Short mmCIF file of all heavy atoms in Angstrom, two decimals:
data_model
loop_
_atom_site.label_atom_id
_atom_site.label_comp_id
_atom_site.label_asym_id
_atom_site.label_seq_id
_atom_site.Cartn_x
_atom_site.Cartn_y
_atom_site.Cartn_z
N MET A 215 0.38 -4.06 1.90
CA MET A 215 1.42 -5.00 1.73
C MET A 215 2.46 -4.75 2.81
O MET A 215 2.74 -3.63 3.29
CB MET A 215 2.19 -4.81 0.39
CG MET A 215 3.35 -5.62 0.22
SD MET A 215 3.05 -7.27 -0.18
CE MET A 215 2.92 -7.22 -1.98
N PHE A 216 2.91 -5.76 3.44
CA PHE A 216 4.03 -5.64 4.48
C PHE A 216 5.31 -6.24 3.85
O PHE A 216 5.34 -7.27 3.19
CB PHE A 216 3.64 -6.56 5.70
CG PHE A 216 2.42 -5.93 6.42
CD1 PHE A 216 1.13 -6.44 6.21
CD2 PHE A 216 2.43 -4.95 7.41
CE1 PHE A 216 0.11 -6.07 6.84
CE2 PHE A 216 1.41 -4.52 8.11
CZ PHE A 216 0.07 -5.14 7.80
N LEU A 217 6.40 -5.49 4.19
CA LEU A 217 7.67 -5.98 3.68
C LEU A 217 8.64 -6.13 4.94
O LEU A 217 8.78 -5.20 5.76
CB LEU A 217 8.34 -4.92 2.76
CG LEU A 217 7.47 -4.55 1.62
CD1 LEU A 217 8.24 -3.38 0.79
CD2 LEU A 217 7.13 -5.67 0.64
N ARG A 218 9.24 -7.31 5.03
CA ARG A 218 10.25 -7.52 6.19
C ARG A 218 11.58 -7.23 5.47
O ARG A 218 11.86 -7.89 4.45
CB ARG A 218 10.24 -8.92 6.64
CG ARG A 218 11.40 -9.20 7.73
CD ARG A 218 11.31 -8.42 9.01
NE ARG A 218 9.98 -8.65 9.56
CZ ARG A 218 9.48 -9.69 10.30
NH1 ARG A 218 10.30 -10.73 10.36
NH2 ARG A 218 8.26 -9.76 10.78
N LEU A 219 12.31 -6.17 5.93
CA LEU A 219 13.54 -5.65 5.28
C LEU A 219 14.82 -6.55 5.86
O LEU A 219 14.69 -7.07 6.98
CB LEU A 219 13.64 -4.23 5.30
CG LEU A 219 12.45 -3.45 4.86
CD1 LEU A 219 12.75 -1.90 4.98
CD2 LEU A 219 12.23 -3.70 3.38
N VAL A 220 15.89 -6.30 5.15
CA VAL A 220 17.16 -7.04 5.64
C VAL A 220 17.61 -6.57 6.95
O VAL A 220 18.27 -7.27 7.73
CB VAL A 220 18.25 -6.82 4.59
CG1 VAL A 220 17.90 -7.49 3.28
CG2 VAL A 220 18.53 -5.31 4.32
N ASP A 221 17.26 -5.34 7.36
CA ASP A 221 17.70 -4.91 8.71
C ASP A 221 16.69 -5.28 9.86
O ASP A 221 16.90 -5.01 10.98
CB ASP A 221 17.91 -3.44 8.69
CG ASP A 221 16.58 -2.49 8.45
OD1 ASP A 221 15.56 -3.25 8.25
OD2 ASP A 221 16.57 -1.36 8.31
N GLY A 222 15.66 -6.12 9.42
CA GLY A 222 14.77 -6.67 10.50
C GLY A 222 13.58 -5.68 10.65
O GLY A 222 12.55 -6.10 11.22
N ARG A 223 13.48 -4.51 9.97
CA ARG A 223 12.32 -3.67 10.10
C ARG A 223 11.28 -4.22 9.26
O ARG A 223 11.49 -4.97 8.25
CB ARG A 223 12.79 -2.24 9.61
CG ARG A 223 13.47 -1.58 10.61
CD ARG A 223 13.69 -0.04 10.11
NE ARG A 223 14.18 -0.09 8.64
CZ ARG A 223 13.59 0.73 7.68
NH1 ARG A 223 12.56 1.41 7.97
NH2 ARG A 223 14.20 0.68 6.49
N THR A 224 9.95 -3.89 9.59
CA THR A 224 8.84 -4.19 8.86
C THR A 224 8.12 -2.90 8.38
O THR A 224 8.00 -2.02 9.27
CB THR A 224 7.84 -4.98 9.48
OG1 THR A 224 8.35 -6.25 9.79
CG2 THR A 224 6.48 -5.29 8.60
N VAL A 225 7.93 -2.67 7.18
CA VAL A 225 7.23 -1.48 6.61
C VAL A 225 5.96 -1.93 5.98
O VAL A 225 5.88 -3.11 5.55
CB VAL A 225 8.12 -0.59 5.76
CG1 VAL A 225 9.41 -0.13 6.33
CG2 VAL A 225 8.48 -1.46 4.37
N GLY A 226 4.94 -1.03 5.85
CA GLY A 226 3.70 -1.39 5.20
C GLY A 226 3.59 -0.40 3.93
O GLY A 226 4.09 0.75 3.93
N TYR A 227 2.71 -0.77 3.15
CA TYR A 227 2.30 0.08 2.03
C TYR A 227 0.71 -0.17 1.94
O TYR A 227 0.25 -1.18 1.66
CB TYR A 227 2.97 -0.32 0.76
CG TYR A 227 2.63 0.76 -0.35
CD1 TYR A 227 3.25 1.93 -0.47
CD2 TYR A 227 1.66 0.40 -1.39
CE1 TYR A 227 3.10 2.82 -1.35
CE2 TYR A 227 1.40 1.32 -2.43
CZ TYR A 227 2.07 2.60 -2.39
OH TYR A 227 1.68 3.44 -3.38
N VAL A 228 0.01 0.96 2.18
CA VAL A 228 -1.43 0.97 2.09
C VAL A 228 -1.90 1.67 0.77
O VAL A 228 -1.53 2.85 0.54
CB VAL A 228 -1.99 1.55 3.36
CG1 VAL A 228 -3.59 1.72 3.27
CG2 VAL A 228 -1.48 0.86 4.59
N GLU A 229 -2.80 1.08 0.12
CA GLU A 229 -3.28 1.78 -1.15
C GLU A 229 -4.79 1.57 -1.35
O GLU A 229 -5.38 0.49 -0.98
CB GLU A 229 -2.55 1.10 -2.31
CG GLU A 229 -2.75 1.83 -3.64
CD GLU A 229 -1.92 1.21 -4.74
OE1 GLU A 229 -1.47 0.00 -4.62
OE2 GLU A 229 -1.70 1.86 -5.73
N ASN A 230 -5.43 2.71 -1.82
CA ASN A 230 -6.81 2.51 -2.21
C ASN A 230 -6.99 3.12 -3.63
O ASN A 230 -5.86 3.40 -4.34
CB ASN A 230 -7.73 3.26 -1.23
CG ASN A 230 -7.34 4.88 -1.08
OD1 ASN A 230 -6.86 5.32 -2.00
ND2 ASN A 230 -7.76 5.39 0.16
#
Side-chain angles (χ1 to χ4, degrees):
M215 177 76 87
F216 296 92
L217 308 176
R218 178 68 52 79
L219 306 179
V220 292
D221 62 4
R223 289 186 302 131
T224 297
V225 300
Y227 186 78
V228 178
E229 187 172 22
N230 58 27

